[in-house]
Structures are given as structure tokens and as C-alpha cells.
Amino acid sequence: MTQRVALATVMDRLSIDAVITGYAVAVDDGAWEDYGALFTADGRADYRGAGGAEGPAAEAAQWLAEAFGPFPVRQHLIVNRRLDLQDLGGYPGDRARVRADYLNPMGPEAAAGGPLPVFFSGGRYTFDLLRTEPGWRIRTVEAHEKWRCAPGGPTAG
């Protein structure tokens, strides 16, 4: 691998990481226009493995907005990211896959001075990404919830 290819690979990894972080921030902030901009034109999201919907990114954003309505306080974390770049004989290709775990605490607005009941869930995302003219974009995302804990006790998924 040449130094130029190695540098391009590092730049791809950083760009992909920024897309995944942007995804978490957009969902947590309810920034659905930003969420949609992270996807390819034909991008899809599949949240069925977490009790949700599947479909084009715009429809997924609508579902997320409704599902997270009761939980305006959100701060989900995407961790343990494993990134596989397409390898074209020692050169990076235009496809990538990221498998990463998530921890998703969320709750209602806190009452003045009162405790905040928090709902937690955890699982794994699989992101398939494509290099496009404007940069890396999400082609598909799948969520697979492994567990959840609501006020009152945990459950396994």
C-alpha cells in the first residue's frame, strides 16, 4: 500500500466516522432534515429489529419523530465501531460496512427539581455506506435491539 493510498484510507475512515456520529446527533436532536441528508437518495432504514418500522429514510425519519415524541430527552451513543472498507486489491473501494453497538438512554422532560425517569435500550447497528459525489452516505441502516430497561426493571430483547 502506498503512502497516498494509506492516507486516503485514513481520510475515508474519518469521513465515515463523521457520518455515523452525525446520525446519532441528528436522531438525538430530532434534526430530521440532517438525518435525511446522511442517506443516499435511495437510502433505507430498518428498525424492525428494535420494534420499529422499515422503509425509505424519509419515512423512517417520520416514524422516529413519532416514536421518540414521548422521549424528548435523548442521548444515544454509538460505540465499539468496526469498520470494513471495500478492498479492491490494496485500494479502497466505494463501499463500507460499520457494525457498532448502541446505548440509548431517553426520557421525558424533567419536572422542576424532580427525578427523571429514564428508559434505556441497547443493541447493534449495521450501516452500509457508499461513497457518493458529496461524500460518504448511508445506503442502509439496521438496528437490532438486544435489551431494554424501563423504570420498573430490565427486559431482554
Side-chain angles (χ1 to χ4, degrees), residues 16-28 31 34-35 38 81:
I16 290 166
D17 191 66
V19 170
I20 303 305
T21 298
Y23 171 90
V25 171
V27 170
D28 290 344
D34 295 344
Y35 172 92
L38 295 168
R81 300 173 192 205

Side-chain angles (χ1 to χ4, degrees), residues 5 10 23 28 30 38 46 48 61 73 81 85 104 119 133 150 154-155:
V5 171
V10 169
Y23 171 90
D28 290 344
L38 295 168
D46 185 350
R48 293 175 295 185
V73 177
R81 300 173 192 205
L85 280 168
N104 188 11
F119 170 88
E133 185 63 33
T155 60

Side-chain angles (χ1 to χ4, degrees), residues 97-147:
R97 173 168 278 185
V98 175
R99 289 176 304 267
D101 295 330
Y102 68 84
L103 174 63
N104 188 11
M106 55 189 163
E109 293 286 348
L116 177 66
V118 179
F119 170 88
F120 290 91
S121 70
R124 181 161 294 148
Y125 284 121
T126 301
F127 295 91
D128 286 317
L129 298 100
L130 292 176
R131 184 192 318 268
T132 66
E133 185 63 33
W136 286 95
R137 295 293 183 265
I138 299 168
R139 172 73 169 95
T140 62
V141 59
E142 292 181 44
H144 301 281
E145 184 178 73
K146 293 183 175 187
W147 61 272

Side-chain angles (χ1 to χ4, degrees), residues 3-97:
Q3 191 172 21
R4 182 170 291 180
V5 171
L7 178 59
T9 300
V10 169
M11 296 303 295
D12 283 340
R13 287 180 172 277
L14 290 171
S15 296
I16 290 166
D17 191 66
V19 170
I20 303 305
T21 298
Y23 171 90
V25 171
V27 170
D28 290 344
D29 292 350
W32 306 119
E33 189 172 312
D34 295 344
Y35 172 92
L38 295 168
F39 286 82
T40 60
D42 62 347
R44 299 182 70 79
D46 185 350
Y47 299 115
R48 293 175 295 185
E54 186 279 331
E59 290 177 19
Q62 288 180 307
W63 176 81
L64 287 168
E66 292 171 17
F68 288 155
F71 306 105
V73 177
R74 301 185 291 274
Q75 186 179 24
H76 92 283
L77 309 170
I78 301 177
V79 299
N80 300 335
R81 300 173 192 205
R82 289 164 307 204
L83 169 59
D84 295 312
L85 280 168
Q86 180 184 31
D87 183 353
L88 300 175
Y91 294 91
D94 293 334
R95 297 179 183 277
R97 173 168 278 185

